[in-house]
Structure formats: C-alpha cells, structure tokens
C-alpha cells in the first residue's frame, strides 16, 4: 500500500491496483499548490464528513474520473443528486470492496455542508486489505471508541488529526495511538490555517516519548505501509 499526503486531511492511497482519494481539499489550500488535482487518479473517494475542508474538490475529481464516493448515507445522497455514484454506509457497518474491507468508524465532531445543510454524522474509516490495515480517524476528539479498533484489526498505520482546536491535538492523538494499539502514526489535519499550526519537533518528541513513530510527510510525499 502506498499513501501520498495531499495536504490538510487529503490523502491518495494506492492499494490492490486501485486508487483511493480521501477528503480532497486541495485547490483552496495554499500549502498544496504543487498538487495538480487533474493528475490525481481515483477509483474511489472516501469522505469522512461534509465540512468544506474535506469535500471541496470531490465534485471535480469524481466527474473527471468517474470515481465512486464512499461515505455516510447523507453525503452519498447529496452527491447522488449531482449525478455522482456512491456507496452509502453508517457507523459500525463494513463492506467488502474490490480493494479490501471498509468499516465506517465513529468520530465525535460535526458534519454540516458549507450551506448549513445536514451532512450526516461524521466518521472515520478502517481499511483492512491484503497490503495492510490502516485507520483514518477523520476529524474527531479522542474517544473511548478508538479502543474498539484493535479488537477488529491489527493496525499497520493510524492516520490521526494532530492540529488541535477543531480535533485532537498532539497529546490526545498520542493517547489515540495507544488506544488503537498502533505505534506507527501519520499525522494530518495540521498547519493549514492559523488555528491548527503545530510545532513539528514537539509533536514528534511527544510520540517518541511513548515509543510511537509519528510521520509528518511533506505535501506530495509518499510513504509505504
Ligand atoms: Ni471538520
Ligand atoms: Mn476538518
């Protein structure tokens, strides 16, 4: 499995010869100017919740690539009305896709569309594949529900928000890593705007003190799981 960081909470994942985009927010992110959304391949677009900083580029990517949206029922319905195909899920539900098994996990946050309309309940994703298991937490606080993740799958990587203010910060994300029993973390949802700027070295050191590796990728950089 290959994971490329596209800035903010946006990811590109290659697994089982499929291309998956997560929460595309690229064209309005000054830090992601080097990413050309027209070059992104997508068979699926995973959407954790309906906030603008997670959905901005869905429509253009989906319409260009024909990618199918995987998200909660309300978000899939919303894009269905725009002629975009999707697979609706809800919390605790799993589905076997051609790249692996996806579970829509719980998250504590909010999920309105930019116009204020209801975007269902926010979530995250657990991906169980032949090339590894990853947890994408989405925007969330630290929750006891994260202790359920290792009961379902042995994680190879936990992708956790670390920017604080709107989501977990560094300290609580390091506890989330312990809850999920995963010592390999990719941080996301940081530095994009003033509220969520972090001290990178402090973040890495906080995790390191618990024997957890925190990766902070450059935008456009790829890691292997
Ligand atoms: Ni959000
Ligand atoms: Mn967000």
């Amino acid at each position: 499995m290959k994971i490329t960081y596209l800035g903010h909470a946006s990811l590109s994942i290659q697994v089982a010869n499929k291309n998956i985009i997560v929460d595309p927010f690229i064209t309005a992110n000054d830090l992601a100017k080097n990413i050309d959304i027209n070059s992104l391949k997508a068979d699926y677009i995973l959407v954790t919740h309906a906030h603008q900083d997670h959905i901005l580029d869905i429509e253009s990517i989906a319409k260009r690539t024909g990618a199918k949206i995987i998200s909660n029922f309300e978000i899939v319905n919303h894009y269905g009305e725009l002629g975009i195909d999707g697979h609706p899920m809800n919390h605790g539900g799993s589905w076997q896709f051609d790249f692996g098994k996806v579970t829509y996990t719980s998250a504590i946050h909010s999920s309105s569309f930019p116009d204020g309309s209801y975007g269902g309940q926010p979530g995250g994703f657990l991906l169980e594949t032949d090339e590894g298991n990853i947890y994408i937490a989405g925007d969330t606080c630290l929750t006891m529900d994260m202790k359920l993740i290792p009961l379902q799958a042995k994680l190879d990587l936990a992708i956790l928000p670390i920017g604080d203010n709107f989501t977990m910060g560094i300290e609580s994300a390091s506890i989330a890593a312990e809850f999920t029993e995963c010592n390999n973390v990719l941080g996301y949802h940081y530095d994009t705007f003033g509220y969520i700027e972090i001290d990178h070295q402090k973040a890495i050191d906080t995790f390191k003190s618990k024997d957890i590796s925190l990766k902070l990728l450059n935008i456009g950089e790829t890691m292997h799981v």
Side-chain angles (χ1 to χ4, degrees), residues 157-160 162 177 182-187 207 212-215:
L157 179 71
I159 302 176
L160 304 174
I162 57 171
C182 184
N183 58 12
N184 194 20
V185 172
L186 173 64
F207 281 77
I212 301 165
S213 156
L214 172 69
K215 282 193 183 60

Side-chain angles (χ1 to χ4, degrees), residues 49 51 54 109 139:
H49 66 294
H51 286 162
H54 298 258
H109 191 67
D139 285 13

Side-chain angles (χ1 to χ4, degrees), residues 1-3 12-20 43-44 98-102 127-134 225:
M1 188 186 310
K2 283 200 299 185
I3 299 174
S12 166
I13 301 171
Q14 287 82 46
V15 60
N17 294 315
K18 298 292 175 188
N19 293 284
I20 302 165
D43 299 294
Y44 298 94
D98 52 5
F99 60 86
K101 180 179 164 187
V102 174
L127 271 58
E128 295 172 77
T129 80
D130 291 344
E131 298 170 29
N133 301 329
I134 66 170
V225 170

Side-chain angles (χ1 to χ4, degrees), residues 34-132:
N34 59 330
I35 305 293
D36 173 14
I37 65 160
N38 292 313
S39 70
L40 297 176
K41 294 179 186 163
D43 299 294
Y44 298 94
I45 302 173
L46 268 54
V47 185
T48 61
H49 66 294
H51 286 162
Q52 179 80 320
D53 61 314
H54 298 258
I55 68 164
L56 180 71
D57 296 313
I58 289 174
E59 196 174 340
S60 68
I61 294 170
K63 286 192 168 160
R64 177 177 55 79
T65 60
K68 181 183 265 199
I69 292 178
I70 302 172
S71 188
N72 69 34
F73 181 80
E74 290 81 3
I75 290 173
V76 167
N77 260 1
H78 170 91
Y79 285 102
E81 286 167 10
L82 301 172
I84 295 166
D85 193 19
H87 180 104
M89 302 186 74
N90 217 325
H91 298 123
S94 300
W95 187 264
Q96 188 69 45
F97 292 90
D98 52 5
F99 60 86
K101 180 179 164 187
V102 174
T103 303
Y104 191 59
T105 59
S106 64
I108 297 183
H109 191 67
S110 56
S111 179
S112 48
F113 283 100
D115 68 357
S117 62
Y118 181 57
Q121 294 295 307
F125 294 100
L126 173 60
L127 271 58
E128 295 172 77
T129 80
D130 291 344
E131 298 170 29

Side-chain angles (χ1 to χ4, degrees), residues 173-191:
S174 72
I175 298 169
E178 294 174 321
F179 281 8
T180 60
E181 298 178 13
C182 184
N183 58 12
N184 194 20
V185 172
L186 173 64
Y188 78 165
H189 210 279
Y190 64 95
D191 282 358

